[in-house]
Amino acid sequence: MTEVAAVDGGAPGHRVGAWASRITPEAVGGQAGAPVWPAVVGAETWWCASDPVAASVRLWRCAEPGSRVLEVLDPAWSVSNRSIGYGGRPYLVVPGVDRHRLVFTHAADQRLYAAGVASLSALAEAPSPLPVPLTPADPEGVHTAYADPIPGPCGAEVWCIRETTRTAPGGQLDDPAPRTVRDVVAVPLSGAAAVDPHAIRVVARSHHFLSGIRLSPDGSRLAWIGWDHPDMPWDTSDLMVARLQDGVAVEPVRVLGGDGVSVPQAEWADADSLYAMADPDGWWNLHRVDLLDGGAKATCVLRTDTECSHAIWRVGATSFAVTDAGVLLRQSRGDQSLALWDPASGALTQLAGEWTDFAVGLPGDASAVAVVAASPTETATPLRIDATPRQVGRAPTVTVARCTTPNHDRFARRQSVPQRRTAAVDAGWEVPYVYYPPTSPDQGGCADQAPPLLIDVHGGPTSRTGGTRSLEISLFAGHGYAVASVDYGGSIGYGRAYRERLRHSWGTVDVDDCVAVARALADAGLADPRRTAIRGGSAGGWTALAALAGRDVFCCGSVYYPISDPVTWRGGQTHDFESRYVESLVGVLPEDEARYCQVSPLANAAKITVPFVMLQGLDDTICRPDQARRLVAAVEEAGSPELCFRFLEFPGEGHGFRRAATIAAGLRAELELYAHVMREP
């Protein structure tokens, strides 16, 4: 890694764009990650959170909302897995009175482990348990990941999705799909499989990709979500149901989905019916699937023009839960809301109104659900929702409580408060974005000068930006930059039609939408069009590069682990999950070769005429270092080596930086670039 000099942000009194900020890159890099994968464990609530200092994911719990938060495992254990490249639900807890049974995946070796964990009702502070392996170590040439664990029907097994990938012969980069197999498997809790791999039993096989395995309440059926190449799960996926015979799923049938319908999640309502999210009408809405002799009947029970589910980027992710009081679900069309739908009355009750963003992951049981929530003024925190069922003459009652007490935030006054806005584009579409104004209590601003602007592009591209407090964005806002995070065409949360604006238009629609937002802010006097930059990572890095090569709008850009060449970002040049994604984003080769050349940042590298920084992890298997290196080389070969302001490569980092020092170094490089290019006019 090339060392980057610290940025001189200037002294108080400097004009907008050269402010000093007490939020530093080191502060951003060292902050703990947002809570993820919450769970209800009896009276306790559990969740994971990344630790950038240790580059690990740690497991936490509290006895009840507002009580002391305790770590479950020794910090040496990192609770995560690499299923489909982005990971999946990494742990299961079976509650007990005095002792819980924890099953989890460990990042270092990807094996399943089990541990007995003392209940906090039995001990005020339980000692760290000693986990024991449940699955074998990988033999040479094989990489295995386990995700989305559930209790088996007999209590002696844990069922989960196993992903097995064999190394290509000779270590060559070739298509990973033929080398990868996914199954629903049963792993004995006795630990027998740790020494005998044959003790693991295959329960179900259907599709190339699997998610969301669910056992019926009576233990007679298994349901799961599946999809195959070249579809992505938000394009077409299937809800499968099979009866269980001697611990094996037999005669699986599709009961919902397929033919251009996406089913991200399903949960059992009772032994003979399921609730499922699906989008046959263009929005992920709640359906009920009744299993009949010889078939199934699906009915939309809550029709809205809002998105009530998620795109499957992580195995086992959830957006709704079934309780005795009704179905708890998220709704989204920009900001998100949380609601309880009562199937008896059809009433929809809004909950937790002070929160505007609810992360994927709403697990629970009949009486309680856990979720991670955030807002424009609150950082992400786990919530626990306890519900009592409807009684005669009375509606269900619900209690929402935050699990952690608000921490003292030394940067609270320095955090930029986001504002949701839209910008008009062609064909009548409105592009949503989140605007973060320059913010510093030490500066008075400058009324006669519009601030410099950073257009922030999310990855995915089938993802979204949350309108919540962000220390990273507040770092830039504290230096006097306005920031606009754009939900360009292809983003989720606005229905299938908005997602499909990007189909075969990647590199065009996303860039046009970012340009439209920049111009709208300039027209409103909220941004200086001469000092407007663009930043993004992964697919956002693609959009940033495409914008620098194809539009005369941005004065510089920051690019993290990008896709630069769509021709090679497929097959053996990326991971299995996205190895066919480019076919829906750009087109099918060789028929659409002209379109590939038209939008490829690498093919148009000579058109980049403004400075940029490039930041890349050397262990990235999703956007390999070759994508960044060839783009930088092409710019240099075009006769402009000075345009690559910084090219930093980080050993040990993959797709999405994990280490505090890496994150800080990237942000310092960005600040140095912006200070150099966007000097006072």
Side-chain angles (χ1 to χ4, degrees):
M1 185 198 81
T2 303
E3 184 64 31
V4 179
V7 178
D8 178 9
H14 277 211
R15 299 176 71 190
V16 175
W19 295 350
S21 175
R22 296 186 187 180
I23 302 175
T24 65
E26 289 72 24
V28 178
Q31 70 173 338
V36 293
W37 301 120
V40 168
V41 183
E44 300 174 19
T45 308
W46 294 39
W47 63 89
C48 293
S50 64
D51 177 357
V53 176
S56 66
V57 178
R58 298 162 72 173
L59 188 59
W60 303 88
R61 62 172 170 163
C62 64
E64 59 185 18
S67 64
R68 184 182 177 191
V69 175
L70 300 171
E71 189 163 12
V72 177
L73 298 168
D74 184 274
W77 296 94
S78 183
V79 183
S80 65
N81 59 67
R82 59 168 177 257
S83 185
I84 71 169
Y86 293 104
R89 186 165 187 86
Y91 72 97
L92 160 73
V93 189
V94 179
V97 176
D98 296 323
R99 199 167 185 79
H100 308 311
R101 173 175 278 167
L102 166 66
V103 176
F104 69 95
T105 54
H106 179 40
D109 59 13
Q110 295 293 299
R111 297 170 75 180
L112 273 176
Y113 287 81
V117 181
S119 165
L120 290 177
S121 63
L123 294 174
E125 185 170 343
S128 297
L130 180 63
V132 296
L134 297 181
T135 55
D138 282 338
E140 186 176 354
V142 176
H143 302 283
T144 309
Y146 302 87
D148 201 16
I150 65 170
C154 63
E157 298 172 330
V158 59
W159 290 12
C160 58
I161 295 171
R162 181 183 64 186
E163 175 182 301
T164 305
T165 303
R166 298 190 177 277
T167 303
Q172 298 297 313
L173 293 178
D174 65 0
D175 190 349
R179 298 184 280 109
T180 305
V181 176
R182 294 174 183 85
D183 306 303
V184 179
V185 298
V187 178
L189 288 168
S190 66
V195 294
D196 179 13
H198 295 98
I200 298 176
R201 185 180 74 258
V202 174
V203 174
R205 284 180 173 146
S206 62
H207 299 66
H208 191 65
F209 298 97
L210 305 171
S211 182
I213 54 175
R214 298 292 184 266
L215 189 66
S216 65
D218 63 358
S220 67
R221 293 184 175 105
L222 185 71
W224 66 91
I225 308 296
W227 68 97
D228 290 309
H229 282 315
D231 292 319
M232 299 303 286
W234 44 85
D235 296 326
T236 295
S237 51
D238 301 326
L239 171 57
M240 307 295 295
V241 174
R243 62 185 180 86
L244 294 172
Q245 181 176 307
D246 299 325
V248 176
V250 297
E251 301 175 354
V253 295
R254 183 179 71 192
V255 298
L256 184 62
D259 302 322
V261 174
S262 167
V263 186
Q265 182 191 351
E267 305 289 342
W268 290 94
D270 52 48
D272 296 309
S273 63
L274 304 101
Y275 287 114
M277 290 293 175
D279 65 349
D281 297 320
W283 298 89
W284 280 317
N285 278 176
L286 186 65
H287 290 66
R288 184 181 176 102
V289 181
D290 295 300
L291 305 180
L292 310 170
D293 290 337
K297 179 183 178 182
T299 306
C300 183
V301 294
L302 182 61
R303 190 182 306 279
T304 69
D305 287 343
T306 62
E307 210 80 281
C308 298
S309 197
H310 60 279
I312 299 178
W313 282 99
R314 310 188 79 183
V315 173
T318 57
S319 289
F320 76 94
V322 179
T323 73
D324 286 344
V327 178
L328 192 74
L329 51 85
R330 303 183 317 166
Q331 292 183 288
S332 173
R333 196 164 183 173
D335 282 343
Q336 295 180 330
S337 62
L338 194 67
L340 179 71
W341 177 71
D342 182 356
S345 66
L348 189 68
T349 304
Q350 297 296 316
L351 307 172
E354 67 273 28
W355 304 94
T356 59
D357 194 272
F358 299 91
V360 172
L362 266 80
D365 56 26
S367 60
V369 175
V371 64
V372 174
S375 79
T377 57
E378 290 268 14
T379 55
T381 188
L383 304 182
R384 184 182 174 103
I385 300 99
D386 288 283
T388 59
R390 164 183 289 275
Q391 299 177 358
V392 177
R394 297 181 61 186
T397 59
V398 179
T399 302
V400 179
R402 60 186 303 159
C403 295
T404 58
T405 56
N407 292 326
H408 171 68
D409 182 359
R410 61 194 175 107
F411 298 121
R413 293 190 310 125
R414 303 176 184 279
Q415 296 260 18
S416 182
V417 178
Q419 308 163 10
R420 283 205 174 267
R421 295 169 173 263
T422 61
V425 292
D426 292 341
W429 290 103
E430 294 284 333
V431 176
Y433 66 97
V434 179
Y435 176 73
Y436 293 81
T439 302
S440 173
D442 303 322
Q443 302 288 341
C446 185
D448 63 351
Q449 182 187 9
L453 172 68
L454 308 181
I455 292 291
D456 182 66
V457 192
H458 66 66
T462 308
S463 185
R464 63 181 289 272
T465 187
T468 59
R469 174 179 288 192
S470 167
L471 190 62
E472 178 178 312
I473 289 180
S474 293
L475 165 71
F476 298 116
H479 278 277
Y481 302 101
V483 182
S485 295
V486 183
D487 272 344
Y488 51 90
S491 301
I492 61 170
Y494 308 97
R496 179 179 282 263
Y498 194 80
R499 288 201 310 273
E500 293 194 341
R501 287 184 61 221
L502 201 63
R503 189 171 185 84
H504 293 171
S505 298
W506 196 34
T508 303
V509 163
D510 49 329
V511 173
D512 288 345
D513 287 358
C514 290
V515 169
V517 169
R519 287 175 174 163
L521 287 169
D523 291 345
L526 296 174
D528 183 348
R530 298 165 297 174
R531 296 187 294 160
T532 295
I534 190 166
R535 67 187 301 266
S538 187
W542 155 280
T543 301
L545 287 172
L548 295 179
R551 302 290 190 279
D552 185 19
V553 173
F554 303 102
C555 64
C556 61
S558 296
V559 184
Y560 287 73
Y561 34 85
I563 302 152
S564 68
D565 177 19
V567 174
T568 57
W569 191 71
R570 53 197 290 273
Q573 294 292 326
T574 187
H575 63 152
D576 182 32
F577 177 60
E578 294 178 273
S579 62
R580 307 296 189 274
Y581 194 10
V582 73
E583 293 185 13
S584 61
L585 293 171
V586 181
V588 178
L589 289 173
E591 303 95 286
D592 297 313
E593 183 177 359
R595 186 183 302 129
Y596 275 73
C597 292
Q598 179 184 355
V599 299
S600 166
L602 182 64
N604 294 282
K607 298 178 182 178
I608 297 177
T609 59
V610 297
F612 62 94
V613 295
M614 180 71 75
L615 305 141
Q616 177 68 49
L618 292 181
D619 293 352
D620 195 335
T621 59
I622 296 172
C623 296
R624 300 183 188 276
D626 183 59
Q627 293 279 326
R629 288 171 176 170
R630 286 192 293 144
L631 188 284
V632 171
V635 172
E636 292 176 347
E637 290 169 7
S640 303
E642 75 284 354
L643 293 182
C644 187
F645 189 76
R646 289 285 185 272
F647 180 22
L648 305 182
E649 294 184 316
F650 301 95
E653 291 285 12
H655 199 68
F657 298 154
R658 300 177 304 140
R659 297 172 178 167
T662 304
I663 296 166
L667 294 172
R668 286 199 305 270
E670 282 198 68
L671 286 172
E672 189 177 55
L673 171 71
Y674 304 146
H676 173 74
V677 175
M678 294 194 251
R679 293 190 180 100
E680 303 286 331

